[in-house]
Amino acid sequence: MELGLNLVDEKNEADIKEVLNYLSELALKYAKEGQESDTKRLIEYIKKIGEAAAFSRLEPVVINTLLLFSPIAREACRQHMENALVSIALAFGEIGKAAAGQKMEISPKIAASCLGEMGNTAASRRAKKETIAVIFALGEIGKSVTWQRLGDVASSTVALLGETGKVAASQKFEDAALNAELLLQEIGTGAIEKNLKETADISVRSIQDIGKTADMQGLDKALLQAAYSLETIKFNAEDRYLMSASIIAEVALLHFERLEIERLEDKLNKISRGKKRSPGTGL
């Protein structure tokens, strides 16, 4: 790893790729042998070199780094190494975020695309921990590309985040769905501030889709959060005169208003009170 980082400082792309290829082959070997801790350690090494390459604006190296994770992820999936898969998801997020910070477009788009595939696979396998990691990583990339006004990448990343959140809700992963909604709210309000109309619109539609799925699955907290997030985006859109996002949010809210949100709030308050510690029980 130290050699790789030194080569990044020297901007020696050919030798960096050799180091990365060696590390990825070793990680794949450990994954096939079922050695999860060693696999995770090498994923971390690869991530650090990829992140350093992003900060040094060596985009060919960054792209190569991202693509090296896929075969490791497939083998980790076969070996049921959830912690290694979480590490890969977070690595995609950190490298993609760093690349976006340097105004690169291809690298964060590749990272987000890989995460979208991971998210669908994780949810279908009911791997909750991995699904949450994917949502967090997509959110980090989404916030970064939005902040840098990389509109096309922001829109595609938000769409993937929304889809993963919707799949999470369909699997009744309420924590994952809530995280997706909160991240979409943050990205949506950021997109309004940066005047990224399409990204704001997709954020709103994605929150609505997660909320509707949460409603069908009986996820009361995620349903309520969808309504709150839509209200927040609607308010910010009106304040910034971004009428399209405001109208979409208003139409989406009509669906949730019919669900009697006030009664839902009362229900959640009762649930919360019921979870309070009972005197003398130690619970």
Side-chain angles (χ1 to χ4, degrees):
M1 184 187 70
E2 292 299 329
L3 173 60
L5 293 173
N6 289 335
L7 290 168
V8 169
D9 288 339
E10 296 168 10
K11 299 189 184 298
N12 187 337
E13 293 190 19
D15 286 352
I16 299 167
K17 286 180 180 179
E18 280 192 31
V19 170
L20 286 168
N21 287 337
Y22 170 75
L23 291 173
S24 67
E25 285 170 12
L26 199 54
L28 190 58
K29 173 179 175 291
Y30 284 139
K32 286 178 178 177
E33 293 171 357
Q35 299 183 50
E36 188 166 24
S37 59
D38 287 327
T39 305
K40 280 181 62 184
R41 178 168 51 85
L42 285 159
I43 290 165
E44 182 69 13
Y45 292 170
I46 296 166
K47 182 206 79 177
K48 285 185 177 178
I49 295 171
E51 201 174 5
F55 286 125
S56 295
R57 299 190 58 78
L58 301 175
E59 187 156 38
V61 175
V62 179
I63 292 169
N64 182 58
T65 305
L66 293 168
L67 297 177
L68 288 173
F69 283 125
S70 293
I72 304 169
R74 283 193 292 270
E75 188 58 40
C77 186
R78 277 194 288 268
Q79 298 287 342
H80 306 290
M81 295 180 172
E82 189 174 34
N83 290 329
L85 288 165
V86 166
S87 294
I88 291 171
L90 296 177
F92 276 131
E94 289 182 47
I95 295 171
K97 178 183 176 181
Q102 299 300 314
K103 293 188 180 295
M104 296 178 192
E105 294 193 40
I106 298 172
S107 297
K109 196 164 188 175
I110 290 172
S113 177
C114 292
L115 283 165
E117 187 178 342
M118 282 188 77
N120 284 330
T121 304
S124 67
R125 291 188 296 108
R126 297 196 59 76
K128 184 178 179 181
K129 191 174 176 183
E130 185 188 341
T131 304
I132 291 173
V134 167
I135 285 170
F136 175 80
L138 280 169
E140 288 298 294
I141 295 172
K143 286 188 284 185
S144 188
V145 292
T146 299
W147 181 255
Q148 296 295 339
R149 286 193 170 96
L150 303 175
D152 289 343
V153 190
S155 295
S156 60
T157 303
V158 165
L160 290 165
L161 174 56
E163 184 59 32
T164 307
K166 182 180 173 182
V167 173
S170 72
Q171 295 287 355
K172 297 189 177 183
F173 295 164
E174 190 159 31
D175 290 348
L178 282 165
N179 284 336
E181 289 168 338
L182 288 166
L183 286 163
L184 286 164
Q185 175 188 320
E186 189 175 352
I187 295 168
T189 53
I192 289 164
E193 184 180 338
K194 298 294 183 181
N195 203 34
L196 298 177
K197 173 185 171 296
E198 185 182 5
T199 303
D201 292 352
I202 294 172
S203 298
V204 172
R205 290 192 177 98
S206 295
I207 293 168
Q208 181 186 21
D209 287 344
I210 297 171
K212 284 182 176 179
T213 307
D215 177 27
M216 289 188 288
Q217 296 296 332
L219 306 179
D220 291 345
K221 290 181 183 177
L223 171 60
L224 185 59
Q225 183 58 57
Y228 282 165
S229 294
L230 288 168
E231 281 283 6
T232 301
I233 291 177
K234 180 174 177 286
F235 175 81
N236 280 276
E238 287 174 346
D239 195 45
R240 286 269 176 174
Y241 302 103
L242 198 63
M243 294 312 298
S244 127
S246 176
I247 291 167
I248 293 169
E250 190 167 359
V251 170
L253 279 164
L254 291 173
H255 170 81
F256 297 113
E257 283 171 6
R258 287 197 296 271
L259 299 173
E260 299 182 63
I261 293 298
E262 286 183 9
R263 285 181 58 194
L264 180 55
E265 283 184 298
D266 290 340
K267 182 177 178 181
L268 288 171
N269 287 334
K270 285 177 185 175
I271 293 170
S272 180
R273 285 196 296 272
K275 286 183 178 177
K276 287 182 180 177
R277 184 177 296 176
S278 303
T281 63
L283 300 174

